[in-house]
Amino acid sequence: MKLSELKHGQSGIITKVKGRGAFRRRIVEMGFAKGKRVEMITKAPLQDPTEYRIMDYEVSLRHSEAELIEIVTGQDVLNAPNNNPKNLPLVLDEDKLLSLADEQSKIINVALVGNPNSGKTSLFNIASGTHERVGNYSGVTVDAKEGKFTHKGYTFNLVDLPGTYSLSAYSPEEIYVRDYIVKGKPDIILNVVSASNIERNLYLTTQLIDMDATVVIAMNMYDELEKSGAQFNYKALAEMIGYPIVPTVAKSGNGVDKLFDTIIEVYERCNPIARHVHINYGEEIETGIEHVKHLLNEQKELGGETSRRYLSILLLEGDTFGESLICNLPNAKKILAERDIHSTYIREDFREDVEIAMTNARYGFINGALKQTFCEGTTDTLKITHRIDRIVINKLAGFPIFFLFMFLMFEHTFLLGEYPMKWLESAVTAFSSLLDSNIAEGQFKDLLINGIVGGVGSVIVFLPNIVILYLFISFMEDTGYMARAAFIMDKFMQKMGLHGKSFIPLIMGFGCNVPAIMSTRIIESRNTRLITMLVNSLMSCSARLPVYILLVGAFFPDHGGLVLFGLYITGIFLAIIMARIFKRFLVRGEDLPFVMELPPYRMPTFKAMVRHCWDKTQQYLQKMGGIILVASIVVWFLEYYPRDTGGDAVYDGKIAELRATVSDRPEDSASVELQVGEINRLRIEEQKSNSFIGRIGRFVEPVMRPLGFDWKISAALISGMTAKEIIVSTMGIIYTGGDDDEALLSDRLRTERDRDGNLVFSPLVAIGFLLFVLVYFPCIATIAAIRSESGSWKWALFVIFYTTALAWFLSFAVYRIGMFFF
């Protein structure tokens, strides 16, 4: 707990003192150090400050200062896990309190901050043992990821923050990272710097210096620097900037132990290098900083945790975050007036904005430091990258290579996945037969075979196809080709109202629309980001793949890869067309320039690709045991009830009459059995039509009939609003035949007939159904992601409306035009 939370007369042991610079030194010098007991005496009449007793004397602290001191109390000891396993009367033990205080003092909160492609998430994974997504392009980490591990008796709470090039208010990642550092107050910031691009990466480091943050630098990918033949005196650079630097190679784990040893040293304040330095911005800017800082020093309401120098820099740059920190201060107007005076002086002196002048000064600081410590190598480590780029981003070969790669991805998803899919189908059929022969007739048997096995089994057979698709997507991301795809498509997409960066979330949508929508944070322009979110659901996610494989395998087995490729390309072109419409009529505004890093090509390790696929496989299997299992049971219930016993009696009577005639004319037995089979089919059809799900489907059917869809297709589409895989499980339940029908679902779809004996599905209906599934109503998780990222239900509801309307008109046009010609 925090010292500010102590009640009158309570005491505790100090475990950690946060804060920075002179404030922290003053607090520690007054006796507020780790392991010291502190007691709350009383509060001032206005409840602030508070009087505490420490080391046999009294001292007062403001609430804001007491919040920066963490303590443990006797209650913490009593509440500690496994403290009282036998439920004996509790007696507070001073030794236990000191032991718990020592334990709490060895918990280090570390935030990983760095540029995209610096290996930050790889370092996080190897340190914490978690399996977060690692990709060779900007925007993989779209939210903070947390991990925990122990090292030499210390517990490290790691937070992997989104990759960012700076801490200005230019993009959502920058705002998120800066807010976390300022408000989350991590003990140590682990600044991950790519050794292959030190100058650019150190710009973020200079901003951390301005913040007076406690930092350790991981000079990652150091093996690439060594291969280039470069000479780098990183120890000398560390001395200059006051931040310890540790060379690391995250993919192999080299240097990671030394890195966390250094973090412990800095945390315990025993590292000889760690200290605070100032970047000199030149006389004119420094004068402005000092004048604004002087006024800020008079504002005691700011508290000791805020660096006055950093806040002065933010104000001079015109940063809205800095202004929000002082807006409620008594002297806010005077501070802003002083800021405006010096901002004007700086602009007139440098003939450019203050922010640009400070950026130039930071790069000047970096350049000066590197001139004394770094000598570039003579080996071109990007030789292979340049050679590959001459081909893959060539103006003639770039597009054909991209579309060829996409076609191969979908062709192999269908062809390579066909064999294991058939094995799984056979296994599901065999398991269903085993249950059928060993369980007595009744509702439970029907639930087990037609509900659970029929529903979940219908979806799980497509697991191999999804694994293969994710293998291709992982390869495209990890090698660095994804960024090239954005580069290739930029001009084309710019004409359609977007730019190249939008292409990355769109391609990510092939895996799952939810992280793809979250990854739109890499797009700086609010308007472009919003449009990309609105069209992202048109990208065909892996949840739709089971529906595609089912219908394509049933009606287009000889052209499966081509049809799949066509569906995905259709999604891309629909997204581009809708983006153009939205840009023209819905979300207007100027775009920011297209600036994106093209990382060097890196061959992903087999282990990394297998791990990524296993992570996705786990998610798919969890879906099987979660939402799809529950949905299958619900759909079975809606399909099974209500039971019409009167109708069954009528059909049984008809069957009895037919079979009675066989005794008189044995030669007609074969014909009679055919008629009995038809009567049973009509019985099952009527039962399903009159069931709850049948009533829902028949209610919607008039709207869907112009598309060639019957009530069963309509019901399956309604169930798919929750998750698209449920469409297959629903079809697996409502398209079941008689009790002895063990035909595969794809065979049942091909032979399914309505009450008049007409085939329900045709290739034309199948195409319309596939297009409807491609476009209509995103899943609930996607809607929630759009609501979260756009900040408004308005846009989430708009996506529901426009995608469903577009799906209807598209399927209607395909079906009606197809009927005209065929």
Side-chain angles (χ1 to χ4, degrees):
M1 65 184 293
K2 297 174 182 177
L3 179 60
S4 58
E5 297 171 2
L6 269 185
K7 305 298 183 184
H8 179 75
Q10 288 183 331
S11 65
I13 304 295
I14 296 174
T15 61
K16 189 179 295 185
V17 180
K18 295 190 174 184
R20 37 157 298 281
F23 162 78
R24 188 181 186 282
R25 285 194 299 272
R26 182 174 66 88
I27 289 291
V28 173
E29 288 167 357
M30 291 171 66
F32 290 89
K34 273 196 313 183
K36 299 298 182 184
R37 178 176 286 278
V38 59
E39 179 184 355
M40 192 273 206
I41 303 299
T42 187
K43 288 182 179 291
L46 296 178
Q47 301 301 301
D48 196 22
T50 301
E51 181 183 356
Y52 298 96
R53 177 180 291 118
I54 188 167
M55 298 175 67
D56 296 325
Y57 77 104
E58 281 72 41
V59 62
S60 69
L61 287 181
R62 292 192 181 92
H63 181 83
S64 59
E65 296 169 339
E67 276 196 321
L68 298 176
I69 301 174
E70 295 183 3
I71 62 171
V72 294
T73 65
Q75 191 61 44
D76 294 322
V77 175
L78 300 180
N79 294 335
N82 303 319
N83 186 56
N84 190 28
K86 297 182 179 180
N87 295 317
L88 298 175
L90 290 170
V91 178
L92 181 59
D93 187 335
E94 183 71 12
D95 291 337
K96 285 185 177 180
L97 181 58
L98 292 172
S99 175
L100 181 60
D102 182 63
E103 182 183 320
Q104 292 293 316
S105 71
K106 291 186 176 181
I107 296 176
I108 308 177
N109 300 310
V110 180
L112 279 76
V113 175
N115 286 194
N117 301 310
S118 63
K120 180 173 52 64
T121 303
S122 296
L123 187 61
F124 171 81
N125 286 345
I126 200 167
S128 64
T130 57
H131 293 163
E132 292 302 334
R133 187 73 182 89
V134 179
N136 190 16
Y137 66 95
S138 173
V140 175
T141 306
V142 294
D143 211 339
K145 308 294 190 302
E146 297 183 4
K148 179 184 288 187
F149 80 108
T150 58
H151 177 73
K152 293 189 175 180
Y154 287 81
T155 299
F156 290 85
N157 293 324
L158 300 182
V159 177
D160 180 22
L161 296 173
T164 178
Y165 294 106
S166 75
L167 297 176
S168 61
Y170 192 58
S171 72
E173 284 97 341
E174 293 169 353
I175 297 171
Y176 185 95
V177 173
R178 186 178 64 184
D179 284 355
Y180 185 88
I181 293 172
V182 173
K183 298 174 183 177
K185 299 181 179 67
D187 299 316
I188 302 288
I189 293 173
L190 179 51
N191 181 204
V192 184
V193 172
S194 172
S196 61
N197 198 337
I198 298 174
E199 184 174 5
R200 203 275 317 284
N201 278 243
L202 285 179
Y203 181 81
L204 178 60
T205 308
T206 61
Q207 292 183 309
L208 294 173
I209 292 173
D210 285 337
M211 295 179 77
D212 194 7
T214 305
V215 175
V216 174
I217 295 176
M219 190 62 64
N220 200 28
M221 306 180 195
Y222 203 75
D223 55 334
E224 295 185 8
L225 183 145
E226 293 176 325
K227 288 177 184 176
S228 71
Q231 300 295 317
F232 182 33
N233 189 347
Y234 64 86
K235 293 181 180 178
L237 179 62
E239 290 282 356
M240 289 181 190
I241 64 177
Y243 289 161
I245 298 175
V246 181
T248 59
V249 182
K251 65 181 181 182
S252 65
N254 291 345
V256 174
D257 286 344
K258 172 63 176 174
L259 176 65
F260 285 95
D261 289 343
T262 305
I263 289 175
I264 293 172
E265 290 176 1
V266 173
Y267 176 73
E268 295 291 359
R269 311 284 169 170
C270 59
N271 185 280
I273 294 174
R275 72 188 193 286
H276 178 58
V277 300
H278 282 173
I279 296 172
N280 191 313
Y281 286 99
E283 184 178 353
E284 189 65 53
I285 296 177
E286 287 293 335
T287 300
I289 292 173
E290 286 303 315
H291 278 78
V292 176
K293 180 182 171 183
H294 175 73
L295 292 177
L296 291 173
N297 282 331
E298 298 175 355
Q299 306 299 305
K300 303 302 182 184
E301 293 84 357
L302 274 174
E305 75 277 10
T306 304
S307 167
R308 272 48 172 186
R309 178 178 173 85
Y310 174 60
L311 187 50
S312 301
I313 291 170
L314 289 181
L315 291 172
L316 286 170
E317 289 179 322
D319 193 288
T320 55
F321 175 70
E323 293 176 359
S324 70
L325 292 177
I326 69 160
C327 63
N328 294 321
L329 296 179
N331 215 16
K333 290 184 179 179
K334 184 177 180 182
I335 295 170
L336 292 175
E338 186 72 13
R339 183 275 310 267
D340 292 339
I341 292 171
H342 288 280
S343 294
T344 303
Y345 287 159
I346 295 169
R347 278 195 299 271
E348 291 175 353
D349 191 47
F350 287 89
R351 297 183 180 179
E352 58 190 3
D353 288 341
V354 179
E355 190 175 5
I356 300 298
M358 288 188 170
T359 298
N360 292 335
R362 290 186 184 114
Y363 273 117
F365 173 82
I366 295 168
N367 189 45
L370 290 180
K371 276 185 177 180
Q372 301 179 53
T373 58
F374 181 75
C375 180
E376 289 190 9
T378 56
T379 304
D380 183 8
T381 56
L382 298 179
K383 184 188 299 182
I384 296 176
T385 293
H386 295 154
R387 287 177 178 175
I388 296 174
D389 275 347
R390 289 193 194 105
I391 301 172
V392 299
I393 61 177
N394 182 276
K395 65 178 181 180
L396 297 177
F399 280 105
I401 289 174
F402 171 72
F403 285 109
L404 175 64
F405 190 85
M406 298 288 287
F407 173 74
L408 290 175
M409 178 168 69
F410 300 123
E411 181 72 15
H412 285 86
T413 297
F414 186 80
L415 292 179
L416 296 181
E418 184 177 5
Y419 301 102
M421 184 183 75
K422 287 183 177 178
W423 300 336
L424 281 175
E425 282 181 335
S426 300
V428 171
T429 302
F431 183 61
S432 182
S433 300
L434 180 66
L435 294 176
D436 187 39
S437 59
N438 288 279
I439 300 178
E441 294 294 333
Q443 295 181 16
F444 177 73
K445 178 179 179 179
D446 199 88
L447 168 64
L448 203 59
I449 295 176
N450 293 329
I452 296 175
V453 177
V456 176
S458 299
V459 181
I460 203 170
V461 297
F462 301 105
L463 179 61
N465 307 92
I466 288 176
V467 170
I468 293 169
L469 177 67
Y470 270 113
L471 272 173
F472 274 93
I473 292 176
S474 294
F475 180 79
M476 197 158 60
E477 292 176 346
D478 293 352
T479 56
Y481 182 73
M482 187 74 85
R484 270 71 184 182
F487 177 78
I488 291 168
M489 297 296 292
D490 176 60
K491 189 169 184 180
F492 179 67
M493 297 193 74
Q494 187 179 2
K495 292 181 182 297
M496 297 298 140
L498 300 174
H499 63 55
K501 272 193 179 180
S502 299
F503 197 67
I504 290 177
L506 295 181
I507 292 294
M508 285 182 69
F510 288 160
C512 180
N513 292 143
V514 175
I517 288 169
M518 293 174 69
S519 73
T520 58
R521 297 175 189 176
I522 67 174
I523 304 168
E524 292 84 2
S525 167
R526 163 71 181 173
N527 291 336
T528 304
R529 186 163 66 250
L530 180 58
I531 294 173
T532 307
M533 277 189 271
L534 296 180
V535 302
N536 198 281
S537 63
L538 297 174
M539 309 307 293
S540 199
C541 66
S542 61
R544 296 175 173 99
L545 190 59
V547 186
Y548 299 162
I549 298 294
L550 173 64
L551 272 294
V552 169
F555 297 99
F556 312 100
D558 297 330
H559 307 286
L562 189 62
V563 174
L564 272 181
F565 179 66
L567 284 169
Y568 281 80
I569 292 299
T570 300
I572 293 174
F573 278 100
L574 282 174
I576 292 172
I577 292 169
M578 295 309 298
R580 185 61 178 171
I581 294 172
F582 294 155
K583 181 71 174 179
R584 179 69 182 274
F585 300 106
L586 191 64
V587 185
R588 299 176 181 176
E590 292 297 321
D591 276 335
L592 295 172
F594 172 54
V595 181
M596 188 183 69
E597 180 182 1
L598 293 178
Y601 289 103
R602 294 188 175 96
M603 181 56 67
T605 63
F606 179 75
K607 179 182 177 181
M609 293 188 64
V610 169
R611 189 178 67 192
H612 296 161
C613 286
W614 172 241
D615 289 343
K616 297 301 179 184
T617 302
Q618 279 184 311
Q619 293 175 19
Y620 191 73
L621 293 174
Q622 287 169 358
K623 245 184 176 181
M624 296 300 104
I627 185 173
I628 291 175
L629 174 61
V630 173
S632 297
I633 294 173
V634 170
V635 170
W636 172 85
F637 178 86
L638 294 175
E639 183 267 345
Y640 193 80
Y641 293 102
R643 307 300 294 178
D644 184 8
T645 54
D648 283 343
V650 172
Y651 283 109
D652 288 339
K654 291 181 180 180
I655 292 172
E657 290 177 7
L658 278 172
R659 285 182 170 155
T661 62
V662 176
S663 58
D664 299 330
R665 298 192 301 275
E667 67 276 6
D668 293 341
S669 60
S671 173
V672 167
E673 288 304 316
L674 285 175
Q675 294 179 60
V676 169
E678 180 63 18
I679 290 173
N680 277 326
R681 187 186 71 81
L682 292 174
R683 181 215 302 263
I684 294 169
E685 187 68 26
E686 184 171 340
Q687 160 60 30
K688 291 180 178 178
S689 179
N690 292 327
S691 67
F692 293 124
I693 198 169
R695 295 172 188 178
I696 295 171
R698 284 187 287 113
F699 177 77
V700 179
E701 185 179 19
V703 179
M704 309 302 284
R705 179 54 71 180
L707 315 182
F709 300 166
D710 69 349
W711 71 263
K712 293 184 180 180
I713 299 175
S714 304
L717 290 171
I718 291 172
S719 70
M721 292 178 178
T722 305
K724 294 298 176 284
E725 299 99 333
I726 296 174
I727 293 175
V728 175
S729 62
T730 303
M731 296 176 84
I733 294 170
I734 63 178
Y735 281 106
T736 51
D739 295 336
D740 58 346
D741 186 0
E742 296 183 357
L744 297 176
L745 179 55
S746 57
D747 297 328
R748 295 202 297 268
L749 294 181
R750 280 195 297 268
T751 58
E752 177 73 12
R753 295 179 181 274
D754 58 22
R755 291 185 62 85
D756 299 327
N758 301 315
L759 286 171
V760 171
F761 273 100
S762 66
L764 190 58
V765 173
I767 285 290
F769 182 71
L770 289 170
L771 289 172
F772 199 95
V773 171
L774 165 68
V775 177
Y776 92 113
F777 198 110
C779 69
I780 298 299
T782 301
I783 295 299
I786 294 172
R787 158 66 184 87
S788 174
E789 294 300 313
S790 67
S792 171
W793 275 110
K794 174 182 71 174
W795 296 115
L797 295 174
F798 174 74
V799 169
I800 293 174
F801 171 77
Y802 101 79
T803 55
T804 305
L806 179 62
W808 194 94
F809 283 109
L810 187 64
S811 297
F812 176 82
V814 168
Y815 181 70
R816 290 301 165 184
I817 294 172
M819 289 288 288
F820 179 79
F821 286 103
F822 303 107

